[in-house]
Coordinates of all heavy atoms in Angstrom, one line a residue:
M96 N 103.5 -87.7 -13.6 CA 104.7 -88.4 -13.9 C 104.8 -88.7 -15.3 O 103.9 -89.2 -16.0 CB 104.7 -89.7 -13.1 CG 106.0 -90.4 -13.1 SD 106.1 -91.5 -11.6 CE 106.8 -92.9 -12.3
G97 N 105.9 -88.4 -16.0 CA 106.1 -88.5 -17.4 C 106.7 -89.9 -17.8 O 107.4 -90.5 -16.9
L98 N 106.5 -90.2 -19.0 CA 107.1 -91.5 -19.5 C 108.5 -91.2 -20.1 O 108.7 -90.2 -20.7 CB 106.2 -92.0 -20.6 CG 106.7 -93.2 -21.4 CD1 106.6 -94.4 -20.4 CD2 105.8 -93.5 -22.6
R99 N 109.4 -92.0 -19.7 CA 110.8 -91.9 -20.2 C 111.2 -93.1 -21.0 O 110.7 -94.2 -20.8 CB 111.8 -91.8 -19.0 CG 111.7 -90.5 -18.2 CD 112.8 -90.5 -17.2 NE 112.7 -89.2 -16.5 CZ 113.7 -88.7 -15.9 NH1 114.9 -89.3 -15.9 NH2 113.6 -87.6 -15.2
F100 N 112.1 -92.8 -22.0 CA 112.6 -93.9 -22.9 C 114.1 -93.6 -23.0 O 114.5 -92.5 -23.3 CB 112.0 -93.8 -24.3 CG 112.6 -94.6 -25.3 CD1 112.5 -96.0 -25.3 CD2 113.5 -94.1 -26.3 CE1 113.2 -96.8 -26.1 CE2 114.1 -94.9 -27.2 CZ 114.0 -96.3 -27.1
R101 N 114.9 -94.7 -22.9 CA 116.3 -94.5 -23.1 C 116.9 -95.9 -23.5 O 116.6 -96.9 -23.0 CB 117.0 -94.1 -21.7 CG 118.4 -94.0 -21.8 CD 119.0 -93.4 -20.5 NE 120.4 -93.4 -20.6 CZ 121.2 -93.6 -19.5 NH1 120.7 -93.6 -18.3 NH2 122.5 -93.6 -19.7
K102 N 117.7 -95.8 -24.5 CA 118.3 -97.1 -25.1 C 119.8 -96.7 -25.4 O 120.1 -95.7 -25.9 CB 117.6 -97.5 -26.4 CG 118.2 -98.7 -27.0 CD 118.0 -99.9 -26.2 CE 118.6 -101.1 -27.0 NZ 118.5 -102.3 -26.2
I103 N 120.7 -97.6 -25.0 CA 122.1 -97.4 -25.2 C 122.6 -98.5 -26.1 O 122.4 -99.7 -25.9 CB 122.9 -97.5 -23.8 CG1 122.4 -96.4 -22.9 CG2 124.3 -97.4 -24.1 CD1 122.9 -96.5 -21.5
L104 N 123.2 -98.1 -27.2 CA 123.8 -99.0 -28.2 C 125.3 -99.0 -28.1 O 125.9 -97.9 -28.4 CB 123.3 -98.7 -29.6 CG 121.8 -98.7 -29.7 CD1 121.4 -98.0 -31.1 CD2 121.2 -100.0 -29.6
K105 N 125.9 -100.1 -27.7 CA 127.4 -100.1 -27.7 C 128.0 -100.3 -29.1 O 127.6 -101.3 -29.7 CB 127.8 -101.2 -26.7 CG 129.3 -101.2 -26.5 CD 129.6 -102.2 -25.4 CE 131.1 -102.2 -25.1 NZ 131.4 -103.2 -24.1
I106 N 128.8 -99.4 -29.6 CA 129.4 -99.5 -30.9 C 130.7 -100.3 -30.8 O 131.0 -101.2 -31.6 CB 129.6 -98.1 -31.5 CG1 128.3 -97.4 -31.7 CG2 130.4 -98.2 -32.8 CD1 128.4 -96.0 -32.1
A107 N 131.6 -99.9 -29.8 CA 132.8 -100.5 -29.6 C 133.2 -100.2 -28.1 O 132.5 -99.4 -27.5 CB 133.9 -99.9 -30.5
P108 N 134.2 -100.9 -27.6 CA 134.6 -100.6 -26.2 C 135.0 -99.1 -26.1 O 135.7 -98.6 -26.8 CB 135.8 -101.5 -25.9 CG 135.7 -102.6 -26.9 CD 135.0 -102.0 -28.1
G109 N 134.3 -98.4 -25.1 CA 134.6 -97.0 -24.9 C 133.8 -96.1 -25.8 O 134.0 -94.9 -25.8
L110 N 132.9 -96.7 -26.6 CA 132.1 -95.8 -27.6 C 130.7 -96.4 -27.7 O 130.5 -97.5 -28.0 CB 132.8 -95.8 -29.0 CG 132.2 -95.0 -30.1 CD1 132.3 -93.5 -29.8 CD2 132.9 -95.3 -31.3
W111 N 129.7 -95.4 -27.4 CA 128.3 -95.9 -27.5 C 127.4 -94.8 -27.9 O 127.7 -93.6 -27.8 CB 127.8 -96.6 -26.2 CG 127.9 -95.7 -25.0 CD1 126.9 -95.1 -24.4 CD2 129.0 -95.5 -24.2 NE1 127.3 -94.4 -23.3 CE2 128.6 -94.6 -23.1 CE3 130.4 -95.9 -24.1 CZ2 129.5 -94.2 -22.1 CZ3 131.2 -95.4 -23.2 CH2 130.7 -94.6 -22.2
I112 N 126.1 -95.1 -28.4 CA 125.2 -94.1 -28.8 C 124.0 -94.3 -27.8 O 123.6 -95.4 -27.4 CB 124.7 -94.5 -30.2 CG1 125.7 -94.3 -31.2 CG2 123.4 -93.6 -30.5 CD1 125.3 -94.6 -32.6
N113 N 123.5 -93.1 -27.3 CA 122.4 -93.0 -26.4 C 121.2 -92.5 -27.1 O 121.3 -91.5 -27.8 CB 122.7 -92.1 -25.3 CG 124.0 -92.3 -24.6 OD1 124.2 -93.4 -24.1 ND2 125.0 -91.4 -24.6
L114 N 120.1 -93.2 -27.1 CA 118.8 -92.8 -27.7 C 117.8 -92.6 -26.7 O 117.6 -93.4 -25.8 CB 118.4 -93.8 -28.7 CG 119.3 -94.2 -29.8 CD1 118.8 -95.4 -30.6 CD2 119.6 -93.1 -30.8
S115 N 117.0 -91.4 -26.8 CA 115.9 -91.2 -25.9 C 114.8 -90.5 -26.8 O 114.9 -90.2 -27.9 CB 116.4 -90.3 -24.8 OG 116.7 -89.0 -25.3
K116 N 113.7 -90.1 -26.0 CA 112.6 -89.4 -26.7 C 113.1 -88.1 -27.2 O 112.6 -87.7 -28.3 CB 111.5 -89.1 -25.7 CG 110.5 -90.3 -25.4 CD 109.3 -89.9 -24.7 CE 109.6 -88.8 -23.6 NZ 108.3 -88.5 -22.8
S117 N 113.9 -87.4 -26.5 CA 114.4 -86.1 -27.0 C 115.5 -86.1 -28.0 O 115.9 -85.0 -28.5 CB 114.9 -85.2 -25.7 OG 115.9 -85.9 -25.1
G118 N 116.1 -87.2 -28.4 CA 117.1 -87.3 -29.4 C 118.2 -88.3 -29.0 O 118.0 -89.1 -28.1
G119 N 119.3 -88.1 -29.7 CA 120.4 -89.0 -29.6 C 121.7 -88.3 -29.2 O 121.8 -87.1 -29.3
S120 N 122.7 -89.0 -28.7 CA 124.0 -88.5 -28.4 C 125.0 -89.5 -28.5 O 124.7 -90.7 -28.6 CB 124.0 -87.9 -27.0 OG 123.8 -88.9 -26.0
L121 N 126.3 -89.1 -28.6 CA 127.4 -90.1 -28.7 C 128.3 -89.9 -27.5 O 128.6 -88.8 -27.1 CB 128.2 -89.8 -30.0 CG 129.5 -90.6 -30.2 CD1 129.1 -92.0 -30.6 CD2 130.3 -90.0 -31.3
S122 N 128.6 -91.0 -26.8 CA 129.5 -91.0 -25.7 C 130.7 -91.7 -25.9 O 130.8 -92.8 -26.5 CB 128.7 -91.6 -24.5 OG 127.6 -90.9 -24.1
V123 N 131.9 -91.1 -25.3 CA 133.1 -91.7 -25.4 C 133.8 -91.7 -24.1 O 133.7 -90.8 -23.3 CB 134.0 -90.8 -26.3 CG1 135.5 -91.4 -26.5 CG2 133.4 -90.7 -27.8
G124 N 134.5 -92.8 -23.7 CA 135.2 -92.8 -22.4 C 135.0 -94.2 -21.8 O 134.9 -95.2 -22.5
G125 N 135.1 -94.2 -20.5 CA 135.0 -95.5 -19.7 C 134.6 -95.2 -18.3 O 134.1 -94.1 -18.1
K126 N 134.8 -96.2 -17.5 CA 134.5 -95.9 -16.1 C 135.3 -94.9 -15.5 O 136.6 -94.8 -15.6 CB 134.7 -97.3 -15.3 CG 133.8 -98.3 -15.6 CD 134.0 -99.5 -14.8 CE 133.0 -100.7 -15.1 NZ 133.1 -101.8 -14.3
G127 N 134.7 -93.8 -15.0 CA 135.4 -92.8 -14.3 C 135.4 -91.5 -15.1 O 135.4 -90.4 -14.6
A128 N 135.5 -91.6 -16.4 CA 135.5 -90.3 -17.2 C 134.8 -90.6 -18.6 O 135.0 -91.5 -19.2 CB 137.0 -89.9 -17.5
T129 N 133.8 -89.7 -18.8 CA 133.0 -89.8 -20.1 C 132.9 -88.4 -20.8 O 132.7 -87.4 -20.1 CB 131.6 -90.4 -19.8 OG1 131.7 -91.6 -19.0 CG2 130.8 -90.6 -21.0
L130 N 132.9 -88.5 -22.1 CA 132.6 -87.3 -22.9 C 131.3 -87.6 -23.7 O 131.3 -88.6 -24.4 CB 133.8 -87.1 -23.8 CG 133.8 -85.8 -24.6 CD1 133.9 -84.6 -23.7 CD2 134.9 -85.8 -25.6
N131 N 130.3 -86.7 -23.6 CA 129.1 -87.0 -24.3 C 128.8 -85.8 -25.2 O 128.9 -84.6 -24.8 CB 128.0 -87.0 -23.2 CG 126.6 -87.3 -23.9 OD1 126.0 -86.4 -24.4 ND2 126.2 -88.5 -23.9
I132 N 128.6 -86.2 -26.5 CA 128.4 -85.2 -27.6 C 126.9 -85.2 -28.0 O 126.6 -86.4 -28.6 CB 129.3 -85.4 -28.7 CG1 130.8 -85.4 -28.2 CG2 129.1 -84.3 -29.8 CD1 131.8 -86.1 -29.1
G133 N 126.1 -84.2 -27.8 CA 124.7 -84.3 -28.2 C 124.3 -83.0 -28.7 O 125.1 -82.1 -29.0
R134 N 123.0 -82.8 -28.9 CA 122.4 -81.6 -29.5 C 122.6 -80.4 -28.7 O 122.6 -79.2 -29.2 CB 120.9 -81.8 -29.9 CG 120.0 -81.9 -28.7 CD 118.6 -82.0 -29.2 NE 117.8 -81.8 -28.0 CZ 116.5 -81.7 -28.1 NH1 115.9 -81.8 -29.2 NH2 115.8 -81.6 -26.9
D135 N 122.7 -80.6 -27.4 CA 122.9 -79.4 -26.5 C 124.4 -79.1 -26.2 O 124.7 -78.2 -25.4 CB 122.3 -79.8 -25.1 CG 120.7 -79.9 -25.2 OD1 120.2 -79.3 -26.0 OD2 120.2 -80.6 -24.3
G136 N 125.2 -79.7 -26.9 CA 126.7 -79.5 -26.8 C 127.5 -80.6 -26.3 O 127.0 -81.8 -26.4
V137 N 128.6 -80.4 -25.7 CA 129.5 -81.4 -25.3 C 129.5 -81.3 -23.7 O 129.7 -80.2 -23.1 CB 131.0 -81.2 -25.8 CG1 131.9 -82.2 -25.2 CG2 131.0 -81.2 -27.3
R138 N 129.4 -82.4 -23.1 CA 129.4 -82.5 -21.6 C 130.5 -83.5 -21.2 O 130.5 -84.6 -21.7 CB 128.1 -82.9 -21.1 CG 128.0 -83.1 -19.6 CD 126.6 -83.2 -19.0 NE 125.9 -82.0 -19.2 CZ 125.9 -80.9 -18.5 NH1 126.8 -80.8 -17.5 NH2 125.2 -79.9 -18.7
S139 N 131.3 -83.1 -20.3 CA 132.4 -84.0 -19.7 C 132.0 -84.3 -18.3 O 131.6 -83.5 -17.5 CB 133.8 -83.3 -19.8 OG 133.7 -82.1 -19.1
T140 N 132.2 -85.6 -17.9 CA 131.8 -86.1 -16.6 C 133.0 -86.9 -16.0 O 133.5 -87.8 -16.8 CB 130.6 -86.9 -16.6 OG1 129.5 -86.2 -17.3 CG2 130.2 -87.4 -15.3
L141 N 133.4 -86.6 -14.9 CA 134.4 -87.3 -14.1 C 133.8 -87.9 -12.8 O 133.2 -87.1 -12.1 CB 135.6 -86.4 -13.8 CG 136.8 -87.0 -13.0 CD1 137.5 -88.0 -13.9 CD2 137.8 -85.9 -12.7
G142 N 133.9 -89.1 -12.6 CA 133.3 -89.7 -11.4 C 134.2 -90.8 -10.7 O 135.2 -91.2 -11.3
V143 N 133.8 -91.2 -9.5 CA 134.5 -92.2 -8.8 C 133.6 -93.4 -8.9 O 132.6 -93.4 -8.3 CB 134.7 -91.8 -7.3 CG1 135.4 -92.9 -6.6 CG2 135.4 -90.5 -7.2
P144 N 134.0 -94.4 -9.7 CA 133.2 -95.5 -9.9 C 132.7 -96.3 -8.7 O 133.6 -96.4 -7.8 CB 134.1 -96.5 -10.8 CG 135.1 -95.6 -11.5 CD 135.3 -94.5 -10.5
G145 N 131.4 -96.6 -8.6 CA 130.9 -97.3 -7.5 C 130.6 -96.5 -6.3 O 130.0 -96.9 -5.3
S146 N 130.9 -95.2 -6.3 CA 130.6 -94.3 -5.1 C 129.3 -93.5 -5.3 O 128.8 -93.0 -4.4 CB 131.8 -93.4 -4.9 OG 131.9 -92.4 -6.0
G147 N 129.0 -93.2 -6.6 CA 127.8 -92.3 -6.8 C 128.3 -90.8 -6.9 O 127.4 -90.0 -7.1
L148 N 129.6 -90.6 -6.7 CA 130.0 -89.2 -6.8 C 130.6 -88.9 -8.2 O 131.3 -89.7 -8.8 CB 131.2 -89.0 -5.8 CG 130.8 -89.2 -4.3 CD1 132.1 -89.1 -3.5 CD2 129.9 -88.1 -3.9
S149 N 130.2 -87.8 -8.7 CA 130.7 -87.4 -10.0 C 130.7 -85.8 -10.2 O 129.9 -85.2 -9.4 CB 129.9 -88.0 -11.1 OG 128.6 -87.5 -11.1
Y150 N 131.4 -85.3 -11.1 CA 131.5 -83.9 -11.4 C 131.2 -83.8 -13.0 O 131.8 -84.5 -13.7 CB 132.8 -83.3 -11.1 CG 133.0 -81.9 -11.6 CD1 132.4 -80.9 -10.8 CD2 133.6 -81.6 -12.8 CE1 132.5 -79.5 -11.2 CE2 133.6 -80.2 -13.2 CZ 133.1 -79.3 -12.4 OH 133.2 -77.9 -12.9
S151 N 130.3 -82.9 -13.3 CA 129.9 -82.8 -14.8 C 130.0 -81.3 -15.2 O 129.6 -80.5 -14.4 CB 128.5 -83.4 -15.0 OG 128.2 -83.3 -16.3
D152 N 130.5 -81.1 -16.4 CA 130.7 -79.7 -16.9 C 130.4 -79.7 -18.3 O 130.8 -80.6 -19.0 CB 132.1 -79.2 -16.6 CG 132.3 -77.8 -16.6 OD1 131.3 -77.0 -16.7 OD2 133.4 -77.3 -16.6
R153 N 129.8 -78.6 -18.8 CA 129.5 -78.4 -20.2 C 130.7 -77.7 -20.8 O 131.2 -76.7 -20.3 CB 128.3 -77.6 -20.3 CG 127.8 -77.5 -21.7 CD 126.4 -76.9 -21.8 NE 126.0 -76.8 -23.2 CZ 125.6 -75.7 -23.7 NH1 125.5 -74.6 -23.0 NH2 125.4 -75.6 -25.0
I154 N 131.1 -78.1 -22.0 CA 132.2 -77.5 -22.8 C 131.6 -76.8 -24.0 O 130.9 -77.5 -24.8 CB 133.2 -78.6 -23.3 CG1 133.8 -79.3 -22.1 CG2 134.3 -77.9 -24.1 CD1 134.7 -80.5 -22.4
S155 N 131.7 -75.5 -24.1 CA 131.2 -74.8 -25.2 C 132.2 -74.8 -26.3 O 133.4 -74.5 -26.1 CB 130.9 -73.3 -24.7 OG 130.4 -72.6 -25.9
L156 N 131.7 -75.0 -27.5 CA 132.5 -75.0 -28.7 C 132.2 -73.9 -29.6 O 132.8 -73.8 -30.7 CB 132.3 -76.3 -29.5 CG 132.6 -77.6 -28.7 CD1 132.3 -78.9 -29.6 CD2 134.1 -77.6 -28.3
R157 N 131.4 -72.9 -29.2 CA 131.0 -71.8 -30.0 C 132.1 -70.7 -30.0 O 132.8 -70.6 -29.0 CB 129.7 -71.2 -29.5 CG 128.5 -72.1 -29.6 CD 127.3 -71.4 -29.1 NE 126.2 -72.3 -29.1 CZ 125.1 -72.1 -28.5 NH1 124.9 -71.0 -27.8 NH2 124.1 -73.0 -28.6
R158 N 132.2 -70.1 -31.1 CA 133.2 -68.9 -31.1 C 132.7 -67.8 -30.3 O 131.5 -67.5 -30.2 CB 133.3 -68.4 -32.6 CG 134.0 -69.4 -33.4 CD 134.3 -68.8 -34.8 NE 135.2 -69.7 -35.5 CZ 136.0 -69.3 -36.4 NH1 136.1 -68.0 -36.7 NH2 136.9 -70.1 -37.0
G159 N 133.6 -67.2 -29.6 CA 133.3 -66.1 -28.7 C 132.8 -66.5 -27.4 O 132.6 -65.7 -26.5
A160 N 132.6 -67.8 -27.1 CA 132.1 -68.3 -25.8 C 133.3 -68.3 -24.8 O 134.5 -68.2 -25.2 CB 131.6 -69.7 -26.0
A161 N 133.0 -68.4 -23.6 CA 134.0 -68.4 -22.6 C 134.9 -69.7 -22.8 O 134.4 -70.7 -23.2 CB 133.4 -68.5 -21.2
R162 N 136.1 -69.6 -22.5 CA 137.1 -70.7 -22.6 C 136.7 -71.8 -21.6 O 136.2 -71.5 -20.5 CB 138.5 -70.3 -22.4 CG 139.0 -69.4 -23.5 CD 140.4 -68.9 -23.3 NE 141.3 -70.0 -23.0 CZ 142.5 -69.9 -22.6 NH1 143.0 -68.7 -22.4 NH2 143.3 -70.9 -22.4
P163 N 136.8 -73.1 -22.0 CA 136.5 -74.2 -21.1 C 137.4 -74.1 -19.9 O 138.6 -73.7 -20.0 CB 136.8 -75.4 -21.8 CG 137.1 -75.1 -23.2 CD 137.2 -73.6 -23.3
S164 N 137.0 -74.6 -18.7 CA 137.8 -74.6 -17.5 C 138.8 -75.7 -17.6 O 138.8 -76.6 -18.4 CB 136.9 -74.9 -16.3 OG 136.3 -76.2 -16.3
A165 N 139.9 -75.5 -16.8 CA 140.9 -76.5 -16.8 C 140.4 -77.9 -16.5 O 140.9 -78.9 -17.0 CB 142.1 -76.1 -15.8
I166 N 139.5 -78.0 -15.5 CA 138.9 -79.3 -15.2 C 138.2 -80.0 -16.3 O 138.3 -81.1 -16.6 CB 138.1 -79.3 -13.9 CG1 137.9 -80.7 -13.4 CG2 136.8 -78.6 -14.1 CD1 137.6 -80.8 -11.9
S167 N 137.5 -79.2 -17.2 CA 136.8 -79.6 -18.3 C 137.8 -80.2 -19.3 O 137.5 -81.3 -19.9 CB 135.9 -78.5 -19.0 OG 134.9 -78.2 -18.2
I168 N 138.9 -79.5 -19.5 CA 139.9 -80.0 -20.4 C 140.5 -81.2 -20.0 O 140.8 -82.2 -20.7 CB 141.0 -78.9 -20.7 CG1 140.3 -77.7 -21.4 CG2 142.1 -79.4 -21.5 CD1 141.2 -76.4 -21.5
A169 N 140.8 -81.3 -18.7 CA 141.4 -82.6 -18.0 C 140.4 -83.8 -18.2 O 140.8 -84.8 -18.6 CB 141.6 -82.3 -16.6
I170 N 139.1 -83.5 -18.0 CA 138.1 -84.7 -18.2 C 138.1 -85.0 -19.6 O 138.0 -86.2 -19.9 CB 136.7 -84.2 -17.6 CG1 136.8 -83.9 -16.1 CG2 135.7 -85.2 -18.0 CD1 135.5 -83.3 -15.6
F171 N 138.1 -84.1 -20.5 CA 138.1 -84.4 -22.0 C 139.3 -85.3 -22.3 O 139.1 -86.3 -23.0 CB 138.2 -83.0 -22.7 CG 138.2 -83.2 -24.2 CD1 137.0 -83.5 -24.9 CD2 139.3 -83.1 -24.9 CE1 137.0 -83.5 -26.3 CE2 139.4 -83.2 -26.2 CZ 138.2 -83.5 -26.9
V172 N 140.4 -84.9 -21.9 CA 141.7 -85.7 -22.2 C 141.6 -87.1 -21.6 O 141.9 -88.1 -22.2 CB 142.9 -84.9 -21.8 CG1 144.2 -85.8 -21.9 CG2 143.1 -83.7 -22.6
L173 N 141.1 -87.1 -20.3 CA 141.0 -88.4 -19.6 C 140.0 -89.3 -20.3 O 140.3 -90.5 -20.5 CB 140.7 -88.1 -18.1 CG 140.7 -89.3 -17.3 CD1 142.1 -90.0 -17.2 CD2 140.3 -89.0 -15.8
A174 N 138.9 -88.8 -20.7 CA 137.8 -89.6 -21.3 C 138.4 -90.2 -22.7 O 138.2 -91.4 -22.9 CB 136.6 -88.8 -21.6
L175 N 139.0 -89.4 -23.5 CA 139.6 -89.9 -24.8 C 140.7 -90.9 -24.5 O 140.8 -91.9 -25.2 CB 140.1 -88.6 -25.6 CG 139.1 -87.8 -26.1 CD1 139.8 -86.6 -26.9 CD2 138.1 -88.4 -27.0
G176 N 141.5 -90.6 -23.4 CA 142.5 -91.6 -23.1 C 142.0 -93.0 -22.7 O 142.4 -94.0 -23.0
L177 N 140.9 -92.9 -21.9 CA 140.2 -94.2 -21.4 C 139.6 -94.9 -22.6 O 139.7 -96.1 -22.8 CB 139.1 -93.9 -20.4 CG 139.6 -93.6 -19.0 CD1 138.5 -93.1 -18.1 CD2 140.2 -94.9 -18.4
A178 N 139.0 -94.1 -23.5 CA 138.4 -94.7 -24.7 C 139.5 -95.4 -25.6 O 139.3 -96.6 -26.0 CB 137.6 -93.7 -25.5
A179 N 140.6 -94.7 -25.7 CA 141.7 -95.3 -26.6 C 142.2 -96.5 -25.9 O 142.5 -97.6 -26.5 CB 142.8 -94.3 -26.8
A180 N 142.4 -96.5 -24.5 CA 142.9 -97.6 -23.8 C 142.0 -98.8 -23.9 O 142.5 -100.0 -24.1 CB 143.2 -97.3 -22.4
T181 N 140.7 -98.6 -23.8 CA 139.8 -99.8 -23.9 C 139.7 -100.3 -25.3 O 139.5 -101.6 -25.5 CB 138.4 -99.4 -23.4 OG1 137.8 -98.3 -24.2 CG2 138.3 -99.0 -22.0
L182 N 139.9 -99.5 -26.3 CA 140.0 -100.0 -27.7 C 141.2 -100.8 -28.0 O 141.1 -101.9 -28.6 CB 139.9 -98.9 -28.7 CG 138.4 -98.2 -28.9 CD1 138.6 -97.0 -29.7 CD2 137.5 -99.2 -29.5
F183 N 142.3 -100.4 -27.5 CA 143.6 -101.0 -27.9 C 144.1 -102.1 -27.0 O 144.8 -102.9 -27.4 CB 144.7 -99.9 -28.0 CG 144.5 -98.9 -29.1 CD1 144.2 -97.6 -28.9 CD2 144.4 -99.4 -30.5 CE1 144.0 -96.7 -29.9 CE2 144.2 -98.6 -31.5 CZ 144.0 -97.2 -31.2
F184 N 143.6 -102.1 -25.7 CA 144.1 -103.1 -24.8 C 143.1 -104.2 -24.4 O 143.3 -104.9 -23.5 CB 144.6 -102.5 -23.5 CG 145.8 -101.5 -23.8 CD1 145.7 -100.1 -23.6 CD2 147.0 -102.0 -24.2 CE1 146.7 -99.3 -23.8 CE2 148.1 -101.2 -24.5 CZ 147.9 -99.8 -24.3
K185 N 142.0 -104.4 -25.1 CA 141.1 -105.4 -24.9 C 141.1 -106.4 -26.0 O 141.5 -106.3 -27.0 CB 139.7 -104.8 -24.8 CG 139.4 -104.3 -23.5 CD 137.9 -104.3 -23.2 CE 137.7 -104.0 -21.7 NZ 136.3 -104.2 -21.3

């Protein structure tokens, strides 16, 4: 069994930094939709809060890579909208 380390630093509502043994990442979003930007690329996650159900997809930003799926784009837009809403309406 391996040792794990994880620390989350909240910067602002809807914006936080994740730190672990393997590196760090930046997350944007809120309950239900999150966009995570790390060394392995961009990951979008859409979930139903409190249910344990979620869908996660990797978004490639490299030139010549396959275009992101429609659901990835929708999650991306939703996560940014939730982040903006939590920043402006709190």
Side-chain angles (χ1 to χ4, degrees):
M96 188 156 139
L98 179 66
R99 290 185 177 203
F100 168 76
R101 184 173 170 209
K102 179 69 178 171
I103 298 171
L104 303 171
K105 188 173 180 181
I106 298 173
L110 183 66
W111 60 98
I112 293 177
N113 308 300
L114 300 173
S115 70
K116 280 192 323 184
S117 60
S120 65
L121 178 70
S122 293
V123 178
K126 290 184 180 180
T129 305
L130 187 68
N131 183 277
I132 304 158
R134 71 176 188 171
D135 294 333
V137 179
R138 179 165 294 279
S139 58
T140 304
L141 180 65
V143 180
S146 71
L148 296 174
S149 66
Y150 174 82
S151 184
D152 196 8
R153 186 168 176 235
I154 300 173
S155 179
L156 300 176
R157 296 181 183 166
R158 287 187 171 212
R162 291 178 54 191
S164 66
I166 194 156
S167 292
I168 294 169
I170 295 169
F171 178 80
V172 170
L173 186 60
L175 290 179
L177 282 171
T181 55
L182 282 172
F183 295 115
F184 296 116
K185 275 201 170 189

